[in-house]
């Protein structure tokens, strides 16, 4: 660890890795600091994919999409509370981010769909591997190729300012004690606070006791570091509870939206559907909570399972129940066999008619549920994503309460608030890390040129 860098990137998730690579490719000398022993943050846990519109990948799949529709879906899904300056930059730079990844041999040439999106714009690798682990390991290859220094077990405790109120460095704790590092610019890429019960319940008392899908380091450090030097916080009470989390063991496993996107349905304890499974996370969560604490069950077949590689993993650790017929599946899952059988038959008819008269589902209807074996996964909602965080402008510059720029401080990824409004759409978090991570790297370069 040297005493001085051009740029200090705090956090090794998608946003931090992307910002560092972009800055390095512009000729800067960045360092990436990660407080945990494990690299990748919550990004490694992302499953569905990366949303983008007007991409060549979409055209190859005969999907004609537009920035306007991407904007409209995200705005609607976010309760029209999204920061529109950020949302405009986000949607209009999404295709460039897909291209930038491809230029770095990170190819996302398959498509799926997530709840609240009107078309297939969730890009993922053709191996169908979950996006997060794939993206982090591929970005790390790039970090290694470019010899960008990355240190784990180094925690940033304080942002330092000079007399002109410009960023001048950070104070860190390492295994060998405390140190100060100097740099004229810092990118906060520290992620959210879903694993910080105290901070969560400070803004949302109703979330006391909820499980979380987050890694233990998601404690909102960046939010507190920035606030200590005058940054404005926005939307701190907007917390996403993910509807489909398997939590019958001591670890909460998020069952990715791709399972529903590829065709799974959700049923209640008696084996009946109760919601449009691809409504927004907020609405699906509310519908499951209304079942009165039983949780719900994802039901799918071999054809759907083959489209979502992560199910193999869930199965290998015992989270999936399997049977040769739908009736047997109901029995092993302790659902009503007759009800589940007719639920699946009705659903298959809806897929054939492309019309879900009961719940108005209109996406994720490309395949029905009739190719055994059949599978079920028990799920319930858990804290998943914090929409609130530090305020930035579309240049990723961190803002004060008076909307003044804090010179030298940039932020990208989940640490930022505002982009998602009151509900983040699946596939938008990975997109946010790459789109705004790139932007942060570019804007730091510009700032340091002045
Ligand atoms: P994003 O998706 O926005 O990139 P992630 O959750 O994937 O966010 O990554 C954020 C990373 O930042 C995590 O690995 C987390 O452990 C790390 N981090 C959080 N706070 C600090 C800190 N104070 N010092 C160093 N690293 C931190």
């Amino acid at each position: 660890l040297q005493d001085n860098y051009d740029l200090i990137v705090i956090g090794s998730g998608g946003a931090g890795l992307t910002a560092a690579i972009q800055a390095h490719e512009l000729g800067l000398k960045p360092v990436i600091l990660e407080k945990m022993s494990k690299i990748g943050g919550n990004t490694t846990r992302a499953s569905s994919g990366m949303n983008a519109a007007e991409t060549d990948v979409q055209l190859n799949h005969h999907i004609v999409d537009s920035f306007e529709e991407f904007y409209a879906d995200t705005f609607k899904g976010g309760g029209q509370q999204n920061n529109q300056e950020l949302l405009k930059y986000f949607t209009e730079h999404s295709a460039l981010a897909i291209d930038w990844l491809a230029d770095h041999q990170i190819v996302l040439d398959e498509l799926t769909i997530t709840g609240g999106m009107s078309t297939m714009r969730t890009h993922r690798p053709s191996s169908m591997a979950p996006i997060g682990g794939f993206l982090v390991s591929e970005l790390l290859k790039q970090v290694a190729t470019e010899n960008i220094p990355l240190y784990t077990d180094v925690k940033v405790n304080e942002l330092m300012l000079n007399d002109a109120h410009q960023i001048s460095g950070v104070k860190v704790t390492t295994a060998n004690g405390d140190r100060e590092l100097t740099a004229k610019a810092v990118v906060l890429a520290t992620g959210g606070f879903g694993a910080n019960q105290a901070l969560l319940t400070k803004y949302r008392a109703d979330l006391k006791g909820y499980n979380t899908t987050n890694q233990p380091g998601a404690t909102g450090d960046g939010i507190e570091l920035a606030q200590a030097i005058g940054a404005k916080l926005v939307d701190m009470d907007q917390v996403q509870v993910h509807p489909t989390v398997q939590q019958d063991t001591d670890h909460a496993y998020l069952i990715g939206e791709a399972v529903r996107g590829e065709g799974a349905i959700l049923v209640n304890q008696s084996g009946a559907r109760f919601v449009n499974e691809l409504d927004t996370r907020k609405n699906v969560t509310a519908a499951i909570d209304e079942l009165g604490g039983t949780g719900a069950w994802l039901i799918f077949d071999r054809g759907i399972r083959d489209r979502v590689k992560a199910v193999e993993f869930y199965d290998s650790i015992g989270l999936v129940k399997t049977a040769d017929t739908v009736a047997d599946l109901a029995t092993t899952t302790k659902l009503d066999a007759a009800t589940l059988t007719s639920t699946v038959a009705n659903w298959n008819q809806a897929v054939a008619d492309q019309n879900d008269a009961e719940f108005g589902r209109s996406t994720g209807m490309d395949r029905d549920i009739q190719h055994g074996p059949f599978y079920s996964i028990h799920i319930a909602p858990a804290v998943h994503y914090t929409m609130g965080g530090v305020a930035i402008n579309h240049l990723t510059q961190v803002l004060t309460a008076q909307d003044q720029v804090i010179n030298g401080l940039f932020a990208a990824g989940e640490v930022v608030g505002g982009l998602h409004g009151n509900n983040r759409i699946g596939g938008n978090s990975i997109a946010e890390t790459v789109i705004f991570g790139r932007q942060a790297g570019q804007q730091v370069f510009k700032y340091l040129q002045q």
Side-chain angles (χ1 to χ4, degrees), residues 362-440:
S362 59
T363 57
M365 297 176 76
D366 291 339
R367 53 193 65 75
D368 56 19
I369 302 178
Q370 52 181 322
H371 307 280
F374 299 91
Y375 307 96
S376 73
I377 304 177
H378 181 223
I379 56 82
V383 167
H384 181 51
Y385 189 90
T386 48
M387 270 80 70
V390 302
I392 62 167
N393 58 21
H394 75 279
L395 302 174
T396 67
Q397 295 169 309
V398 175
L399 304 174
T400 66
Q402 290 75 37
D403 286 331
Q404 300 291 311
V405 165
I406 298 176
N407 283 310
L409 186 59
F410 300 81
E414 192 176 350
V415 67
V416 168
L419 174 66
H420 307 290
N422 70 11
N423 173 63
R424 180 179 66 80
I425 303 261
N428 275 355
S429 65
I430 289 294
E432 174 179 28
T433 66
V434 181
I435 294 164
F436 286 104
R438 288 191 67 215
Q439 171 71 317

Side-chain angles (χ1 to χ4, degrees), residues 1 11 21 35 56 121 143 178 188 202 232 274 277 385 395 400 414:
L1 199 56
I21 293 167
K35 70 173 177 178
D56 287 339
R121 62 168 72 98
V143 165
D178 289 358
L188 287 175
K202 174 175 167 190
K232 174 165 78 174
F274 57 93
E277 292 84 353
Y385 189 90
L395 302 174
T400 66
E414 192 176 350

Side-chain angles (χ1 to χ4, degrees), residues 168-244:
S168 61
V170 301
K171 293 187 182 172
V172 300
T173 301
T174 74
N176 306 318
D178 289 358
R179 278 182 70 169
E180 290 184 9
L181 310 178
T182 58
K184 291 199 176 94
V186 164
V187 173
L188 287 175
T190 45
F193 58 99
N196 185 335
Q197 266 284 322
L199 196 55
L200 274 176
T201 49
K202 174 175 167 190
Y203 292 95
R204 286 286 302 273
D206 60 309
L207 294 178
K208 190 161 185 286
Y210 262 78
N211 277 330
T212 181
T213 62
N214 285 200
Q215 63 107 359
T219 49
D221 300 12
I223 294 170
E224 289 172 335
L225 292 172
Q227 192 181 27
I229 61 164
K232 174 165 78 174
L233 306 185
V234 295
D235 296 348
M236 288 295 287
D237 58 342
Q238 299 298 341
V239 176
Q240 178 164 75
V241 176
H242 194 287
T244 58

Side-chain angles (χ1 to χ4, degrees), residues 22-142:
Q22 178 68 84
H24 185 258
E25 290 179 353
L26 286 165
L28 300 182
K29 291 198 176 4
V31 65
I32 305 167
L33 305 180
E34 168 58 54
K35 70 173 177 178
M36 306 299 281
S37 305
K38 190 168 178 284
I39 295 171
N42 276 343
T43 301
T44 51
R45 300 185 173 204
S47 57
S48 56
M50 170 164 160
N51 291 337
E54 300 193 21
T55 67
D56 287 339
V57 173
Q58 287 179 305
L59 294 179
N60 290 339
H61 288 262
H62 293 129
I63 304 285
V64 176
D65 194 9
S66 69
F67 296 148
E68 290 77 12
E69 286 160 278
F70 186 13
Y71 185 107
D73 286 347
T74 304
F75 198 51
K76 181 165 175 248
Q80 305 194 338
Q81 292 175 39
N82 315 60
N83 176 314
Q84 297 190 53
E85 177 188 346
L86 298 184
L87 183 54
K88 184 167 189 300
Y89 185 88
F90 173 75
T91 49
E92 292 178 359
H93 292 76
S94 57
L96 285 169
I98 295 285
D99 291 347
W100 183 84
L101 289 175
D103 287 346
H104 292 81
Q105 287 77 52
I106 305 174
V107 178
L108 303 178
D109 54 1
E110 258 295 329
L111 291 177
T112 188
I113 194 163
T114 60
M117 284 295 174
S118 60
T119 191
M120 304 266 274
R121 62 168 72 98
T122 308
H123 296 64
R124 57 185 187 145
S126 51
S127 65
M128 316 276 182
I131 185 78
F134 175 80
L135 182 67
V136 168
S137 66
E138 294 299 313
L139 288 172
L140 279 177
K141 284 183 199 161
Q142 195 62 38

Side-chain angles (χ1 to χ4, degrees), residues 321-399:
K321 288 198 160 52
T322 307
D324 286 335
T325 66
V326 172
D328 286 350
L329 184 70
T331 308
T332 21
T333 312
K334 298 194 174 66
L335 309 174
D336 184 82
T339 309
L340 187 66
T341 305
S342 71
T343 297
V344 169
N346 288 343
W347 171 248
N348 289 342
Q349 192 58 49
V351 171
D353 299 344
Q354 287 294 298
N355 177 22
D356 173 25
E358 245 181 318
F359 296 102
R361 173 162 162 180
S362 59
T363 57
M365 297 176 76
D366 291 339
R367 53 193 65 75
D368 56 19
I369 302 178
Q370 52 181 322
H371 307 280
F374 299 91
Y375 307 96
S376 73
I377 304 177
H378 181 223
I379 56 82
V383 167
H384 181 51
Y385 189 90
T386 48
M387 270 80 70
V390 302
I392 62 167
N393 58 21
H394 75 279
L395 302 174
T396 67
Q397 295 169 309
V398 175
L399 304 174

